[in-house]
């Protein structure tokens, strides 16, 4: 197959941590990056747009960037305001940026709002596309926090896991339902309407071990689960992946939601497919916004892969391998406007946009 | 950025960064061992089936179903995968540091000054500072506490356990406290700087030079001890973490990994070519230059400037460490410098020695001081301070200065407060009664650790410890102990064999191969046969790993064949079986083990290995009887008990499995030691793999409450709740 080469954009000195397409503009991409691979040093939030390049081939160009004092680990666009986006920092803070409003000096522009409640690295942010004024953040401090841009403090805190929460995602179908994944090898589904603290079981003390009861706990892997995503078409179907190198698709329709969810914590989730192929840990999975059976994954084996969950008879799950990255691939995001267009970002400081 | 998990104690916290990494890299061994063959394909349509391979029948269907996807097979590198948060964890909290920098009075002058000016400034400031310093220790402690106590309770704990800020402040002030206690006549604020320094220098260098002109080197020496102590320590952690990370990807054949800039950086970190300077990673020679990190926009000017100044110090010292012989420090470094040593290395080694000597002295004087001022409020401040020093001291002692720089000694961490260390006299029933475990029949890990500590150069003691740790399901410690044994005596054959077993369990095929190769190569009995075989089958240089493995296997097989008439050598059968196991050739491996078993019918290790081999090849039901046999021979054999639990899980006998794993945990827990205050040092005593399996078991049993207790590693509560059902 003869594919056009990917459009490439480089940010020398700033390895990437996250990438997100704008939900409002078909050609805008935000990139979260950190100097020194996020070990120490500053971060940068890049705004990149895809436009016609020389010879009619699409090319990426930098619109602007913001400097931050700590590495950036994730970024999410606002679903309600086309110029706003929120970034997750290594120092535990969240920052809301408006690309049209100038705050600060020309050389160091500032966010329009910043929150600092997490006590450790914030590793993911996700904006709800149902309650469009809400977003969530997940942190290594084990909590997930719900925010709205107007409030100076978080609305709710969920003590989701006893250890690092690598990702938290809003359900695209149900308001107030989120999925989280963690070091402890579980994926959990929480209903935000349920009270944050109910004794999970007699004899469990919520004061010494504050953990919010999950509506459903999925024992997804024996090792760390680094990423989770909701299928956009099939309610309560999730994909998870992590250190065990497998991408697993979970049917979680047995979950019981509602305010009482926390009263009857359940364990379950039926694994309906397991996609093997990554040679090292999988860092990110994302379902296609256009097709119910397609997902993309990015991994430490320096590849970005595209999979189908329903291969034709005798066919393979694996559809495509994007191999040009030369360092760990840490993020991927499907274009919301053009089917089959994927952006992948990596520690080689390159953002690749390509058609699958 | 984050650091707190360096030592231990926080939620996601491994007991050290290495362990954290290996947790991510190595798959859960216990599970893997049982799951290896068919479990890869893993899932079936059922709930909960993703972790453990189901019963054979179901399993084969599933395996066939999923084999459409490229299943990892023969030639694949060992399962390793990772996340890098452990790296983050080994980094200091930079904002925490900046607070301290700004507060510590001795650092402030350096903001604008170069190295020489800094020293001069320091001298001038002495008189005025002295009054402050009388109370400096308690005050600064409080100041340093404040940022910590503002954070949440959880973070507080972890910050306390290893805070660069804390360590730093003690490094600054503890020496002074010692000095002040030992020279009570220095009450007056008018005593001149030169004399103070003189006194200080005598503490530092044990050289009673009366020449005030030589004061400057002493000040430098002190300042460098203070400013370098912490960064070096951080560097060690970072370097070790980077090294561990590299070890896990060394099996990668993908050329991308060879060219990776990130892995290149890790290599440099490991080799200390790049070090952490304030808020940036810099080349070491660059760091020595007084240049500030390139990117100082935004945060941390206050951080950058002092470190840059300290860097300037280093430069002046490294450039002329020997040339200037006026100071005591340089004189002594001249005496001990080794021929052919790089000036940098000389500097580090010298400093290391000075620092240890200084510390010992300070600790002594601190002890006296706390005795004298027992009623003083300061005495209470001393205790945590001393604990901090103790920890630092231990860290330092763990390093050995060599011509190539500083390298870690055997990374084996002994448990503290080991009662067996106090000699034969203390070997009463006391400890056993405390633990309430069944370790009376067999030597416990603590006993063997004490033996190794008393006689640290005896390879066979380390070997015994290693094997015991294997039995107790602590693979990492076993490997460390065995490595140490082999360092001491590379010809110790049983250690090589045991190491191969450990590597197999960790899924490290290359390690297992190398160990077996060493074993057969060093085995005098087969030397002729090996030489003969190698002459016949020369190894090509470009042979892939699997070719090499096959070659070695043929070599062993030919030896076995040649010696077929003689009496059976169990060891070579075991070696061959281990290799076959790494190759997932379970049927043959089992034959080898059973052959060995015929010669050594009382070897419980062999029974367990046969069982594990059976379980790995998808026959957990048949494995059970072998585990039972092993446990009959040695009821305290934790690994066999754990394996028994795993097989029960695979047979879906969850209640039984939970009981076995719980028993294994209780046995492991018997090795924990209560310290004086009654707190148990649980670090590394019980194994994560066991807890994880137990948790999965509980989830299968629909006992969420018990699973929560597993997360909290609360053995007592678990036992209580489990037996109540």
């Amino acid at each position: 197959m003869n594919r056009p080469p990917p459009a490439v954009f480089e940010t020398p000195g700033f390895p990437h941590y996250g990438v997100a397409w704008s939900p409002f503009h078909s050609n805008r991409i935000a990139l979260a990056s950190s100097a020194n691979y996020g070990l120490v040093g500053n971060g940068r939030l890049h705004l990149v747009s895809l436009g016609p390049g020389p010879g009619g081939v699409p090319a990426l160009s930098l619109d602007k960037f913001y400097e931050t004092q700590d590495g950036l680990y994730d970024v999410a666009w606002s679903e309600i305001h086309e110029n706003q986006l929120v970034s997750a920092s290594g120092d535990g803070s969240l920052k809301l940026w408006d690309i049209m409003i100038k705050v600060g000096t020309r050389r160091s522009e500032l966010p329009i709002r910043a929150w600092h409640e997490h006590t450790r690295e914030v590793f993911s942010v996700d904006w709800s596309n149902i309650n469009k004024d809400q977003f969530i953040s997940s942190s290594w401090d084990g909590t997930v926090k719900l925010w709205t841009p107007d409030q100076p403090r978080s609305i709710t805190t969920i003590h989701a896991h006893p250890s690092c929460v690598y990702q938290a995602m809003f359900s695209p179908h149900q308001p107030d339902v989120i999925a989280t994944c963690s070091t402890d090898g579980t994926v959990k589904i929480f209903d935000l309407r349920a009270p944050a603290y109910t004794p999970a079981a007699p004899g469990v003390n919520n004061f010494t071990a504050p953990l919010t009861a999950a509506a459903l706990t999925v024992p997804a892997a024996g090792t760390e689960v680094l990423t989770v995503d909701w299928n956009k078409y099939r309610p309560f179907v999730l994909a998870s992946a992590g250190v065990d190198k497998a991408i697993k698709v979970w049917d979680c329709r047995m979950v019981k939601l509602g305010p009482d969810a926390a009263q009857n914590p359940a364990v379950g989730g039926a694994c309906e497919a397991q996609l093997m192929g990554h040679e090292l840990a999988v860092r990110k999975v994302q379902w296609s916004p256009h097709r119910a059976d397609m997902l993309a994954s990015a991994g430490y084996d320096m590849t970005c892969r595209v999979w189908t969950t329903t291969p034709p008879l005798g066919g393979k799950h694996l559809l495509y391998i994007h191999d040009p990255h030369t360092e760990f691939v840490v993020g991927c995001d499907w274009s919301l406007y053009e089917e089959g267009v994927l952006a992948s970002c990596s520690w080689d400081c390159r953002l690749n946009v390509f058609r699958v | 950025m984050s650091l707190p998990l360096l030592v231990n104690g926080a939620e996601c916290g491994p007991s050290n960064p290495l362990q954290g990494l290996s947790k991510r890299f190595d798959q859960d061994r216990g599970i893997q061992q049982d799951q290896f063959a068919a479990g890869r394909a893993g899932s079936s349509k059922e709930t909960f089936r993703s972790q453990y391979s189901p019963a054979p029948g179901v399993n084969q269907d599933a395996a066939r179903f999923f084999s459409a996807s490229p299943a990892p097979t023969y030639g694949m590198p060992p399962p390793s995968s990772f996340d890098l948060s452990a790296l983050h964890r080994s980094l200091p909290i930079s904002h925490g540091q900046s607070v301290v920098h700004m507060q510590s009075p001795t650092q402030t002058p350096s903001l604008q000054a170069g190295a020489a000016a800094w020293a001069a400034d320091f001298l001038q400031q002495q008189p005025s500072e002295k009054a402050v310093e009388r109370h400096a220790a308690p005050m600064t402690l409080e100041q340093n506490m404040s940022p910590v106590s503002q954070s949440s309770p959880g973070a507080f704990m972890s910050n306390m356990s290893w805070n660069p800020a804390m360590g730093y402040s003690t490094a600054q002030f503890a020496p002074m406290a010692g000095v002040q206690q030992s020279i009570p006549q220095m009450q007056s604020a008018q005593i001149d700087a030169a004399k103070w320094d003189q006194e200080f220098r005598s503490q530092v260098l044990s050289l009673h030079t009366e020449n005030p002109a030589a004061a400057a080197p002493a000040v430098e020496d002190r300042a460098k001890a203070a400013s370098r102590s912490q960064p070096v320590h951080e560097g060690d952690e970072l370097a070790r973490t980077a090294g561990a990370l590299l070890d896990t990807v060394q099996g990668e054949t993908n050329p991308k990994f060879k060219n990776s800039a990130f892995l290149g950086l890790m290599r440099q970190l490991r080799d200390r070519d790049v070090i952490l300077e304030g808020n940036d990673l810099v080349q070491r020679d660059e760091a020595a230059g007084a240049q500030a990190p390139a990117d100082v926009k935004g945060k941390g000017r206050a951080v950058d400037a002092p470190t840059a100044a300290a860097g300037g110090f280093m430069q002046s010292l490294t450039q002329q460490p020997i040339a200037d012989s006026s100071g005591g420090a340089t004189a002594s470094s001249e005496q001990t410098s080794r021929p052919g040593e790089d000036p940098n290395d000389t500097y580090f080694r010298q400093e290391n020695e000075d620092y240890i000597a200084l510390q010992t002295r300070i600790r002594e004087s601190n002890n006296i001081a706390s005795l004298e001022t027992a009623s003083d409020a300061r005495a209470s401040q001393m205790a945590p301070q001393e604990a901090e020093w103790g920890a630092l001291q231990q860290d330092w002692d763990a390093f050995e200065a060599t011509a190539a720089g500083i390298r870690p000694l055997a990374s084996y961490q002994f448990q503290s407060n080991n009662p067996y260390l106090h000699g034969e006299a203390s070997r009463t029933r006391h400890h056993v009664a405390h633990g309430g475990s069944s370790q009376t029949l067999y030597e416990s890990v603590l006993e063997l650790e004490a033996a190794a500590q008393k006689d640290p150069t005896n390879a066979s003691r380390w070997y015994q410890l290693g094997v015991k740790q294997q039995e107790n399901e602590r693979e990492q410690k076993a490997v460390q102990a065995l490595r140490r044994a082999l360092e001491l005596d590379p010809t110790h054959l049983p250690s090589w064999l045991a190491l191969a077993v450990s590597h197999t369990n960790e899924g490290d095929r290359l390690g297992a191969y190398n160990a077996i190769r060493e074993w057969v190569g060093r085995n005098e009995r087969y030397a002729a046969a090996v030489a003969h075989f190698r002459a016949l089958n020369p190894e090509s240089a470009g042979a892939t790993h699997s070719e090499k493995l096959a070659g070695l296997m043929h070599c062993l097989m030919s030896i076995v064949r040649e010696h077929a008439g003689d009496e059976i050598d169990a060891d070579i059968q075991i070696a061959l079986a281990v290799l076959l196991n790494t190759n997932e050739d379970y049927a043959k491996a089992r034959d080898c083990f059973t052959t060995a078993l015929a010669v050594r019918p009382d070897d419980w290790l062999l029974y367990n290995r046969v069982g594990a081999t059976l379980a790995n090849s998808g026959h957990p039901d048949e494995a059970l009887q072998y585990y039972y046999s092993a446990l009959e021979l040695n009821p305290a054999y934790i690994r066999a008990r754990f394996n028994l639990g795993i097989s029960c899980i695979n047979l879906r006998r969850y209640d039984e499995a939970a009981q076995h794993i719980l028993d294994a945990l209780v046995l492991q827990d018997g090795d924990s030691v209560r310290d004086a205050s009654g707190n148990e040092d649980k670090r590394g005593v019980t194994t994560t793999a066991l807890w994880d399996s137990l948790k999965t078991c509980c989830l299968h049993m629909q006992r969420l409450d018990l699973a929560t207790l597993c997360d909290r590693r609360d053995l007592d509560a678990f036992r209580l709740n489990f037996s109540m059902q």
Side-chain angles (χ1 to χ4, degrees):
Chain A
M1 217 183 319
N2 198 6
R3 292 173 192 276
V8 180
F9 174 71
E10 273 200 75
T11 60
F14 282 86
H16 303 156
Y17 262 90
V19 61
W21 288 88
S22 163
F24 291 95
H25 297 274
S26 62
N27 58 351
R28 273 192 198 166
I29 301 174
L31 254 184
S33 65
S34 304
N36 298 318
Y37 307 99
L39 299 178
V40 286
N42 299 352
R44 226 176 239 189
L45 178 62
H46 301 265
L47 294 163
V48 180
S49 58
L50 186 65
V57 188
L60 292 162
S61 60
L62 182 69
D63 291 338
K64 71 191 301 181
F65 66 81
Y66 297 101
E67 296 269 6
T68 59
Q69 291 190 12
D70 217 294
L72 295 181
Y73 288 160
D74 201 12
V75 61
W77 288 90
S78 166
E79 295 280 345
I80 199 168
H81 195 303
E82 60 172 335
N83 291 326
Q84 292 185 354
L85 65 174
V86 65
S87 68
S89 292
D91 61 1
S93 70
L94 290 159
K95 296 187 171 70
L96 184 70
W97 308 85
D98 190 307
I99 53 181
M100 300 307 284
I101 299 176
K102 294 233 188 298
V103 191
T105 63
R106 175 175 286 276
R107 282 196 55 205
S108 66
E109 289 186 45
L110 298 172
I112 57 169
R113 200 175 267 279
W115 299 270
H116 198 155
E117 289 186 18
H118 285 296
T119 54
R120 299 193 53 207
E121 283 81 343
V122 187
F123 220 62
S124 85
V125 280
D126 184 43
W127 208 291
S128 169
N129 63 1
I130 301 175
N131 294 333
K132 288 179 185 283
D133 59 342
Q134 292 182 350
F135 62 95
I136 44 172
S137 62
S138 79
S139 160
W140 286 5
D141 63 12
T143 62
V144 171
K145 284 174 185 279
L146 176 69
W147 311 82
T148 180
D150 304 331
Q151 297 285 331
R153 298 191 202 296
S154 59
I155 305 171
T156 313
T157 299
I158 298 173
H159 292 264
H161 295 266
S163 47
C164 312
V165 187
Y166 287 114
Q167 204 174 4
M169 296 293 284
F170 270 113
S171 162
H173 305 284
Q174 295 269 342
D176 303 316
V177 173
I178 62 167
T180 64
C181 65
S182 158
T183 315
D184 64 9
T186 60
V187 168
K188 290 184 180 181
I189 297 178
F190 291 93
D191 191 327
L192 296 171
R193 294 161 294 190
Y197 289 107
T198 28
V204 177
N205 186 338
N206 271 331
F207 286 95
T208 53
L211 263 195
T212 308
L216 184 75
T217 302
V218 183
T223 50
E224 304 193 41
V225 184
L226 299 176
T227 175
V228 67
D229 193 29
W230 297 89
N231 190 303
K232 312 295 183 246
Y233 291 88
R234 301 165 61 201
F236 293 101
V237 169
L238 290 151
S240 77
V243 171
D244 63 358
K245 298 176 274 189
I247 300 164
K248 292 171 189 160
V249 181
W250 300 95
D251 185 342
C252 298
R253 282 174 295 182
M254 72 286 279
V255 65
K256 293 192 178 58
L257 295 171
D260 303 333
Q263 302 293 339
N264 322 299
V267 179
C271 182
E272 64 173 31
Q274 182 161 343
L275 312 173
M276 298 293 301
H278 273 290
E279 289 162 26
L280 287 170
V282 184
R283 178 51 212 285
K284 170 102 179 168
V285 287
Q286 209 201 18
W287 287 97
S288 163
H290 298 101
R291 287 177 56 183
D293 66 338
M294 192 187 262
L295 72 158
S297 64
Y300 283 115
D301 62 355
M302 306 185 181
T303 62
C304 186
R305 299 177 188 229
V306 179
W307 312 79
T308 175
T309 53
T310 53
L313 204 62
K316 284 186 175 182
H317 286 288
L318 185 62
L319 294 178
Y320 177 63
I321 300 181
H322 179 69
D323 206 25
H325 284 295
T326 57
E327 299 280 348
F328 303 148
V329 187
V330 292
C332 57
D333 198 38
W334 292 98
S335 165
L336 295 165
Y337 286 86
E338 240 183 305
E339 186 173 342
V341 170
L342 191 63
S344 69
C345 68
S346 157
W347 281 11
D348 62 7
C349 306
R350 291 199 192 95
L351 166 71
N352 289 2
V353 177
F354 52 93
R355 190 175 290 280
V356 173
Chain B
M1 299 291 307
S2 90
L3 123 93
L5 295 172
L6 249 196
V7 171
N8 179 18
E11 310 90 314
C12 340
S15 50
N16 66 47
L18 253 178
Q19 204 179 331
L21 266 172
S22 56
K23 189 184 86 189
R24 288 148 215 265
F25 291 143
D26 307 334
Q27 284 195 340
D28 183 329
R29 190 207 67 75
I31 294 165
Q32 184 195 345
Q33 195 175 54
D34 256 318
Q35 176 204 30
F36 224 46
R40 277 283 164 65
S43 128
S44 69
K45 301 284 184 217
E46 264 177 278
T47 325
F48 296 144
R49 293 276 72 205
S50 63
Q51 284 233 15
Y52 297 99
S53 59
V58 184
N59 188 14
Q60 278 157 13
D61 290 344
R64 224 173 290 128
F65 179 73
F66 286 113
S67 61
S69 64
T73 45
Y74 183 73
M76 292 282 289
S80 70
S81 43
F82 48 90
D83 176 68
L84 291 150
S85 36
L87 264 178
H88 294 291
R89 289 176 197 155
S90 49
L91 290 164
I93 304 178
S94 45
H95 44 264
Q97 232 176 6
S98 72
V99 170
V100 175
H101 275 296
M102 289 186 290
Q103 283 172 349
S104 73
T106 51
Q107 289 285 332
T108 325
S110 69
L111 277 168
Q112 307 90 1
W118 193 91
D121 265 5
F122 186 81
L123 283 169
Q124 280 160 13
Q125 296 234 346
Q126 280 306 321
S128 58
E129 269 180 22
K130 212 159 41 289
V132 180
E133 282 166 10
R134 289 288 300 164
H135 310 284
M139 210 174 75
T140 322
L141 262 176
E142 270 166 29
Q143 284 171 349
N144 286 339
M145 293 291 277
S146 59
V148 176
S149 52
Q150 277 162 10
S151 49
S152 80
F156 180 69
M157 283 308 293
S158 51
N159 279 341
M160 282 303 286
S161 60
W162 194 92
N163 190 330
M166 297 291 290
Y168 194 92
S169 71
T170 40
Q172 278 280 355
F173 291 103
M176 301 206 189
V179 169
Q180 282 158 0
Q181 292 300 331
S182 60
I183 42 171
Q185 75 270 28
M186 292 182 75
Q187 300 283 347
S188 149
Q190 271 79 41
I191 291 174
D192 67 350
K195 188 162 181 197
W196 192 92
D197 271 315
Q198 205 178 320
E199 192 60 39
F200 185 85
R201 188 156 33 92
S202 71
Q203 290 281 328
V204 173
L205 303 170
S206 321
L207 290 174
H208 299 275
T209 319
E210 297 289 42
N211 179 10
V219 176
E220 283 184 354
D221 201 63
R222 194 200 67 154
K224 112 196 152 188
S227 66
R228 288 298 305 163
S229 61
Q230 208 49 54
V232 166
H233 178 70
E234 285 158 12
D236 290 338
E237 291 295 347
L238 197 61
R240 222 181 306 161
T241 312
L245 194 147
L246 286 169
D247 287 347
T248 54
V249 291
Q250 68 181 359
E252 281 300 327
T253 48
N254 190 335
K256 276 188 189 180
F257 278 78
K258 302 225 162 32
N259 303 329
S260 161
F262 172 70
L263 294 174
L265 175 68
M266 290 296 108
R267 247 166 253 136
Q268 287 177 310
L269 279 171
R270 181 191 58 190
D271 304 338
R272 312 278 172 81
D273 292 338
V274 167
I275 53 172
L276 184 64
E277 273 281 326
N279 193 24
D280 213 345
L281 296 168
V282 284
Q283 293 286 336
R284 186 160 63 174
D285 29 348
E286 235 176 81
Q291 100 195 49
D295 193 355
V296 290
K297 190 186 270 184
K299 86 168 149 186
R301 277 225 179 247
V303 182
D304 291 335
T307 46
F313 248 111
M314 283 195 49
Q315 185 189 36
S316 66
L317 280 162
T318 48
Q319 278 173 353
Q320 36 164 328
I322 299 171
D324 179 1
S325 58
S326 67
T330 49
S332 67
S333 82
E334 215 168 25
Q335 281 159 15
T336 54
S337 74
R338 297 171 192 175
E341 209 175 38
D342 179 14
N344 262 332
D345 293 335
T346 317
Y347 167 74
F348 275 112
R349 187 171 50 75
Q350 179 61 37
E351 177 190 292
N352 197 17
E353 284 161 9
D354 284 355
Y355 186 71
I356 289 171
L358 171 70
Q359 255 188 5
T360 326
R361 226 161 285 132
I362 288 160
R363 265 149 52 104
E364 282 162 9
S365 59
N366 268 357
N367 284 339
I368 298 163
S370 54
L371 277 177
E372 283 173 356
T373 58
S375 59
D376 197 328
R378 192 182 295 179
S380 61
Q381 302 273 4
M382 283 295 183
Q385 222 171 356
E386 264 173 46
E388 197 87 34
W389 273 115
L392 269 176
Q393 173 80 46
Q394 275 177 356
D395 289 340
W396 272 106
D397 288 351
F399 288 85
E400 173 176 78
T402 64
I406 312 166
R407 73 185 184 86
L409 284 170
S411 39
Y412 190 95
Q413 286 219 332
F414 291 103
Q415 277 204 74
S416 46
N417 299 318
N418 187 339
Y420 293 106
L421 259 187
H422 302 301
E424 295 298 307
S426 70
R427 270 182 79 163
T428 57
R429 303 275 127 204
H430 187 71
H431 170 68
V432 177
H434 260 254
S437 70
S438 58
Q439 305 259 329
T440 40
L441 280 176
Y442 300 92
E443 285 187 309
S444 75
V445 167
L446 288 174
E447 255 176 294
L448 290 167
E449 278 197 354
Q453 270 171 301
K454 279 181 201 157
D455 190 3
T457 53
N458 187 338
S460 67
R461 295 234 191 263
W462 283 100
Y463 163 71
Q464 285 165 356
L465 177 58
V467 171
K468 185 72 190 173
Q469 290 286 26
Q470 280 185 339
E471 286 181 13
N472 283 14
E473 196 57 46
R474 293 190 198 106
E475 208 68 71
Q476 207 194 346
K477 289 203 150 190
V479 171
Q480 286 167 353
L482 291 170
R483 285 247 167 83
R484 186 66 189 153
L486 290 168
E487 238 170 63
L488 294 165
D489 179 11
T491 60
H492 193 254
L493 294 177
S495 294
W496 283 115
L497 207 51
L499 189 63
V501 171
S502 274
H503 282 314
T504 314
N505 285 339
E506 286 184 325
D508 179 359
R509 296 157 58 100
L510 192 67
Y513 163 81
N514 285 333
I516 296 281
R517 197 185 146 83
E518 289 286 341
W519 177 83
V520 73
R522 291 172 190 277
N523 199 330
E524 281 165 23
R525 186 170 162 187
Y526 304 119
V530 172
H532 179 65
F533 180 86
R534 287 197 182 144
L536 284 179
N537 308 288
E539 221 169 61
S540 60
T544 65
H545 175 55
S546 42
E547 279 167 24
K548 284 188 198 161
L549 191 69
L552 186 59
M553 250 187 294
H554 284 136
C555 176
L556 289 179
M557 278 181 193
S558 69
I559 291 173
V560 171
R561 251 178 260 127
E562 274 173 39
H563 292 74
D566 311 357
E567 96 185 75
I568 297 167
D569 176 12
D571 281 339
I572 198 160
Q573 295 285 352
I574 294 170
L576 190 52
V578 168
L579 275 187
L580 289 164
N581 244 318
T582 54
N583 220 5
E584 296 173 34
D585 208 340
Y586 296 114
K588 286 185 195 159
R590 177 186 158 192
D591 289 344
C592 289
F593 277 136
T594 22
T595 315
L597 204 53
V599 194
R600 291 186 196 165
D602 292 334
D603 190 341
W604 54 76
L605 297 174
L606 278 174
Y607 280 102
N608 177 56
R609 285 175 195 158
V610 177
T613 310
L614 280 168
N616 284 341
S617 53
H619 303 288
D621 43 336
E622 293 173 41
L624 294 185
Q625 50 167 324
Y626 286 95
Y627 294 143
Y628 288 136
S629 305
L631 288 171
E632 258 167 45
L633 289 166
N634 180 0
Y637 189 3
I638 295 172
R639 170 159 290 170
R641 217 167 265 286
F642 178 43
N643 282 342
L644 181 57
I646 297 287
S647 282
C648 286
I649 294 181
N650 283 337
L651 295 168
R652 304 194 199 180
R653 286 143 64 169
Y654 298 121
D655 284 353
E656 209 181 324
Q659 186 63 56
H660 289 311
I661 299 173
L662 178 60
D663 288 347
L665 274 169
V666 171
L667 282 172
Q668 274 197 339
D669 191 56
D671 287 329
S672 61
V673 184
R674 276 160 222 272
D675 65 17
S677 56
N679 296 322
E680 272 181 273
D681 179 16
K682 294 272 190 193
R683 189 194 319 181
V685 172
T686 54
T687 314
T688 322
L690 265 69
W691 279 114
D692 288 348
S693 315
L694 186 56
K695 181 182 162 194
T696 317
C697 219
C698 296
L699 291 174
H700 283 304
M701 290 156 65
Q702 299 289 336
R703 291 290 300 270
L704 210 59
D705 53 328
L706 291 179
T708 322
L709 291 173
C710 290
D711 281 336
R712 283 156 47 191
R713 306 271 188 274
D714 192 341
L715 191 58
D716 292 331
F718 190 94
R719 269 155 104 181
L720 203 67
N721 283 297
F722 187 70
S723 55
M724 276 196 321
Q725 67 179 339

